[in-house]
Amino acid sequence: MTAQNKIHSSADARRLARKRLPWMVFDYIDGAAGEGRGEALGRSEIQAIRLNPRILSDVSHRDLSVEVFDHQANCPFGISPMGMCNLSAPSADLMLARAAAKHQCPLGVSTVSSTSLEKIIEVAEGHAWFQLYYSGDGSSVKSLIERAKASGYRTLVVTLDVPEVGRRPRELRRGFKMPFKIGVSQFIDFAVHPRWSISTLLNGKPEMANFGGEHGSFDRTESRAGATWDHLKKIREQWQGNLVVKGVLNVEDAQQLKAVGVDAIQVSSHGGRQLESVPPPILMLREIRKALGPKYPLFFDSGIRSGEDIVKAYAMGADFVFLGRPVLFAMAAAGEAGLTKLWSVLEDETSITLAQLGKTSMPGPSSDVLWELA
Ligand SMILES: Cc1cc2nc3c(=O)[nH]c(=O)nc-3n(C[C@H](O)[C@H](O)[C@H](O)COP(=O)(O)O)c2cc1C
């Protein structure tokens, strides 16, 4: 049986990826802040939400499309920006770009993507949003924004939950660094995962493709602790397209972002990778939705693993939902075929969930899909 045929859930993709990836890469992707309790709590709060099944509503025609900014996306989820995706499989960035083009859904393109931001938006046929990290002294911000504009990006996502890179012990124990260094333990790790090592060597070691030469360098571990509301204001002045701030878990921050003219907020704990003791992002989504009213665009990521999770996030107040790790695991497990399979699994799960709930389209926060004890 081919590997993609073994993927019937995102958990299957993770299980298969775990066998194929070197431990260093698996732990970089799967790892979280501290002992991972924040990430686990975020997911268990999503799991704890109960849905309200209904009968006899004629749900034979179900529509998964949703509007994001001024665009109709053909499916209700997209891909969160992730650095060094090509570590999961050679050309992973381009597999994601092709999926974004096919489904007309946004793909987040990380500052530290392993394919250039220019190439990704071309292959994604415009369905890409550029994610910006504020650099330590702000120097690379201006040039990255100019490059994003010049190559046709219309949405800029500024990630603000990384004043310092979170401490992720699983990554640290494996000696993960970018660009990575191959010492004795990494050599052994790569040798016992030959399928990954040979294909990665044949395709060239993944690099931070937006840097090098005239574009200078990027230090992943550099401090961004000096960023203030004034820096955000400057970015707002420089960027006339849609501006999204990612990594928000506080109601007052959200209110201030709305007040300073940010177009949308991505409620996210960075997949639990930054602070172990974060509040569950799905509960903060509901709080922030209540505070900002029904119209302000809110996006969500962190811990989404299934179609039921996607429906729950919409019911808790999201206008669009993103996934991170599961797509990397699907590509590590079975390349582009694995990504295609996982995508269809998530679509099927979402559609079947709607049918169970008596709905024909993605629910909003005022719908009756959430079950609560009377
Ligand atoms: C391997 C990896 C790399 C990431 N790199 C970035 C990044 O460069 N920029 C960013 O804003 N978020 C980054 N994130 C966070 C994701 O955008 C997203 O918030 C998170 O993965 C969502 O949680 P999930 O993995 O549980 O779906 C990264 C996450 C992972 C797993």
Side-chain angles (χ1 to χ4, degrees):
M1 193 194 276
T2 53
Q4 68 269 20
N5 290 337
K6 295 183 185 158
I7 299 177
H8 301 286
S9 68
S10 66
D12 287 343
R14 180 176 179 276
R15 247 190 313 275
L16 291 164
R18 190 176 178 168
K19 288 189 198 144
R20 293 204 171 176
L21 290 173
W23 285 109
M24 184 185 82
V25 177
F26 183 74
D27 282 344
Y28 160 63
I29 297 171
D30 201 51
E35 296 304 312
R37 292 189 196 95
E39 191 227 348
L41 177 67
R43 283 200 284 115
S44 68
E45 287 293 343
I46 297 174
Q47 284 156 16
I49 296 169
R50 303 288 103 196
L51 294 169
N52 192 20
R54 300 297 301 269
I55 58 170
L56 295 176
S57 316
D58 187 1
V59 286
S60 33
H61 299 289
R62 299 181 298 277
D63 179 9
L64 296 189
S65 69
V66 288
E67 207 167 305
V68 200
F69 291 128
D70 55 353
H71 171 74
Q72 194 77 12
N74 286 346
C75 74
F77 57 90
I79 309 303
S80 283
M82 286 179 286
M84 302 307 298
C85 291
N86 288 356
L87 281 172
S88 65
S91 301
D93 285 314
L94 298 183
M95 295 177 197
L96 292 172
R98 284 189 284 271
K102 179 172 163 200
H103 299 281
Q104 315 239 308
C105 296
L107 161 66
V109 177
S110 168
T111 294
V112 282
S113 56
S114 38
T115 304
S116 75
L117 63 101
E118 289 85 0
K119 179 74 184 166
I120 296 179
I121 192 163
E122 182 196 322
V123 175
E125 297 171 11
H127 297 283
W129 295 0
F130 183 63
Q131 177 266 323
L132 182 75
Y133 275 128
Y134 177 78
S135 64
D137 60 359
S139 58
S140 69
V141 165
K142 205 161 176 260
S143 67
L144 283 169
I145 290 182
E146 290 311 320
R147 281 174 68 188
K149 267 189 209 168
S151 47
Y153 285 85
R154 294 170 56 220
T155 300
L156 182 72
V157 179
V158 182
T159 297
L160 289 176
D161 58 1
V162 189
E164 305 284 354
V165 173
R167 282 188 64 82
R168 300 166 200 153
R170 286 173 58 188
E171 207 177 89
L172 297 169
R173 278 182 214 120
R174 301 283 176 196
F176 180 86
K177 290 203 170 54
M178 273 326 300
F180 54 74
K181 299 213 165 55
I182 305 180
V184 177
S185 65
Q186 289 83 7
F187 185 81
I188 296 167
D189 188 12
F190 291 180
V192 297
H193 294 95
R195 190 196 294 245
W196 179 92
S197 308
I198 291 166
S199 65
T200 299
L201 279 182
L202 285 178
N203 286 279
K205 201 168 80 167
E207 306 281 357
M208 294 183 280
N210 294 325
F211 300 93
E214 56 168 324
H215 298 308
S217 61
F218 183 88
D219 176 1
R220 174 175 180 257
T221 58
E222 151 190 72
S223 172
R224 299 175 188 89
T228 66
W229 288 93
D230 282 341
H231 294 114
L232 180 64
K233 201 171 142 214
K234 285 205 188 90
I235 293 175
R236 176 69 287 185
E237 284 162 10
Q238 239 189 303
W239 180 262
Q240 288 76 41
N242 302 315
L243 181 64
V244 182
V245 166
K246 172 173 180 282
V248 180
L249 288 171
N250 175 280
V251 171
E252 279 173 35
D253 283 347
Q255 286 167 322
Q256 197 164 344
L257 288 168
K258 183 181 174 190
V260 300
V262 166
D263 299 304
I265 290 172
Q266 187 148 330
V267 176
S268 164
S269 67
H270 215 104
R273 291 164 80 80
Q274 283 298 106
L275 178 71
E276 188 169 19
S277 304
V278 276
I282 196 79
L283 301 185
M284 290 318 300
L285 170 65
R286 185 163 59 177
E287 292 305 301
I288 292 172
R289 172 53 75 203
K290 274 191 212 145
L292 300 195
K295 294 224 163 70
Y296 187 82
L298 286 183
F299 308 141
F300 181 79
D301 77 28
S302 296
I304 297 290
R305 296 291 177 267
S306 69
E308 289 196 17
D309 291 353
I310 292 168
V311 172
K312 288 174 183 180
Y314 275 82
M316 296 292 273
D319 293 300
F320 201 73
V321 169
F322 292 86
L323 286 94
R325 296 176 183 91
V327 295
L328 297 186
F329 290 144
M331 293 184 291
E336 194 150 14
L339 177 65
T340 305
K341 181 67 191 294
L342 179 71
W343 207 291
S344 76
V345 166
L346 292 167
E347 283 182 325
D348 278 358
E349 289 174 343
T350 307
S351 178
I352 291 167
T353 305
L354 290 184
Q356 290 290 133
L357 301 177
K359 298 289 171 204
T360 53
S361 60
M362 297 307 291
S366 55
S367 77
D368 57 357
V369 300
L370 297 178
W371 175 84
E372 272 162 281
L373 267 183

